[in-house]
Amino acid sequence: MELDPARGYDLIGDIHGCGKTLERLLSDMGYAKQDGVWRHPKRMAIFVGDLVDRGPRIRETLHLVHDMVQAGQALCAMGNHEMNALAWNTLAPPGSGRQYVREHSPRHTRLIKETLEQFEAYPDEWQAFLDWFYELPLFIDAGHFRVVHACWDQSLIDPLRAQFPDARITEAFIQESAEHGSFADIALDRLLRGTNMRLPDGMTLTSYDGFTRSSFRTKFWEENPQTYGDIVFQPDALPELAAQMPLSESQKTELLKYPADEPLLFVGHYWRSGKPTPIRSNLACLDYSAVLNGKLVAYRLDQETRLDADKFVWVNVDRPEARP
């Protein structure tokens, strides 16, 4: 994707419906609303996805980001929650054993509940935003920097680029993902949810939202991990016994690596906390749990080829936003 090399870019983490907080962050970075669209005279915003679900101002967030993108003031990558919304509304292919690609289970219903409620009186708007989600690329490769919601896997991005040169998927691809183990299923899961590994010896953990799982999210950059604890990358800690267990040589070999000499990579998705800082010199996560009263974070990128900790900016979310 060709981007103006003379322009600065402000990469913004997961918003999840925190629309008022987003306005505060944009204002702090010198953006102003002109003719109904937030603009900057010299810079462009790039959103890493997850605009919807959980927060109180999902509809307002979508209008703000959509209008910026349409006006050429922003780009937005697809997040797993935008993909989930498409899958929730897409009929599964015959013989799949389900009605929709994303089953309407109690857990899935809970995750999308806020979004559906806030658009209940605006069904035509919601359909228009679902159509727009297909215009969001799965990844952005600008040459000297890259954006993907959760994980950059070149072995999947190359065939995706061959199939979708603009990185924008289709409804048929969403339908294909209903088949477990299909290319669409693997690619969407890896790029939008990240890498994972099963816990050893049948162990499980229960996440903050009460969901019990037998696998955990893993780092995709660790050079020489020795234990399960070395590769965990999620808010929920591993059981202490599991964290101390050594990785086998085959497990180490199978771990995905994003080399340190690759272009700058920006992701969201992982619910970080504390002071925003690079993970390493070419990798930054911009999701600092805004909707959980954390921080809405941006990185102000210019021409640097290594990340600078002083170029992170953020707005603290000291209290929950109220619905309009």
Side-chain angles (χ1 to χ4, degrees), residues 19-29 38 315-319 321:
K20 281 294 182 186
T21 304
L22 174 58
E23 290 182 348
R24 287 168 55 204
L25 178 64
L26 290 171
S27 180
D28 286 354
M29 293 192 296
W38 285 84
V315 171
N316 289 302
V317 186
D318 298 321
R319 58 188 180 278
E321 291 192 21

Side-chain angles (χ1 to χ4, degrees), residues 37 51 108 113 125 135 138 145 184 187-188 224 233 238 277 322 324:
V37 177
L51 310 177
H108 293 166
K113 175 177 178 289
E125 276 189 23
E135 298 178 26
L138 286 180
F145 72 93
L188 291 175
N224 188 31
F233 193 58
L238 296 185
T277 188

Side-chain angles (χ1 to χ4, degrees), residues 177-284:
S177 72
E179 181 184 346
H180 182 70
S182 65
F183 174 69
D185 175 48
I186 293 169
L188 291 175
D189 189 64
R190 176 63 56 84
L191 271 60
L192 302 185
R193 295 192 180 97
T195 55
N196 62 77
M197 181 179 288
R198 292 191 70 82
L199 285 160
D201 301 332
M203 292 182 184
T204 62
L205 62 83
T206 301
S207 64
Y208 74 93
D209 61 356
F211 182 63
T212 298
R213 59 186 84 227
S214 58
S215 61
F216 63 98
R217 292 174 180 166
T218 58
K219 298 174 182 177
F220 55 89
W221 59 87
E222 197 70 22
E223 295 294 341
N224 188 31
Q226 299 301 314
T227 66
Y228 281 78
D230 289 340
I231 59 170
V232 63
F233 193 58
Q234 61 183 26
D236 305 304
L238 296 185
E240 187 174 347
L241 181 61
Q244 296 173 356
M245 290 186 69
L247 295 166
S248 69
E249 290 305 315
S250 63
Q251 286 175 317
K252 294 178 187 179
T253 301
E254 291 168 4
L255 287 169
L256 183 67
K257 300 289 196 304
Y258 187 76
D261 59 355
E262 289 288 301
L264 302 181
L265 175 61
F266 297 92
V267 301
H269 189 60
Y270 293 101
W271 299 96
R272 302 201 79 193
S273 60
K275 182 180 178 180
T277 188
I279 291 172
R280 65 180 193 191
S281 62
N282 69 332
L283 174 60

Side-chain angles (χ1 to χ4, degrees), residues 74-205:
L75 297 173
C76 183
M78 183 181 287
N80 62 301
H81 283 258
E82 284 75 52
M83 187 272 291
N84 288 346
L86 291 174
W88 173 273
N89 284 274
T90 301
L91 291 172
S96 65
R98 62 179 82 170
Q99 184 177 2
Y100 293 92
V101 173
R102 184 167 172 84
E103 294 177 295
H104 292 192
S105 65
R107 178 172 183 266
H108 293 166
T109 300
R110 187 170 74 249
L111 287 172
I112 201 172
K113 175 177 178 289
E114 285 289 342
T115 299
L116 297 181
E117 285 184 355
Q118 290 174 45
F119 276 98
E120 191 172 9
Y122 309 94
D124 292 342
E125 276 189 23
W126 178 232
Q127 184 57 55
F129 281 125
L130 288 169
D131 294 340
W132 178 62
F133 290 166
Y134 281 113
E135 298 178 26
L136 305 181
L138 286 180
F139 57 87
I140 297 169
D141 190 345
H144 70 294
F145 72 93
R146 295 165 170 169
V147 178
V148 69
H149 185 66
C151 176
W152 189 276
D153 185 338
Q154 198 69 48
S155 71
L156 295 172
I157 284 174
D158 286 341
L160 276 169
R161 188 179 273 134
Q163 187 174 355
F164 305 107
D166 58 4
R168 295 174 173 89
I169 58 173
T170 61
E171 182 178 358
F173 196 74
I174 292 285
Q175 286 187 308
E176 181 190 334
S177 72
E179 181 184 346
H180 182 70
S182 65
F183 174 69
D185 175 48
I186 293 169
L188 291 175
D189 189 64
R190 176 63 56 84
L191 271 60
L192 302 185
R193 295 192 180 97
T195 55
N196 62 77
M197 181 179 288
R198 292 191 70 82
L199 285 160
D201 301 332
M203 292 182 184
T204 62
L205 62 83

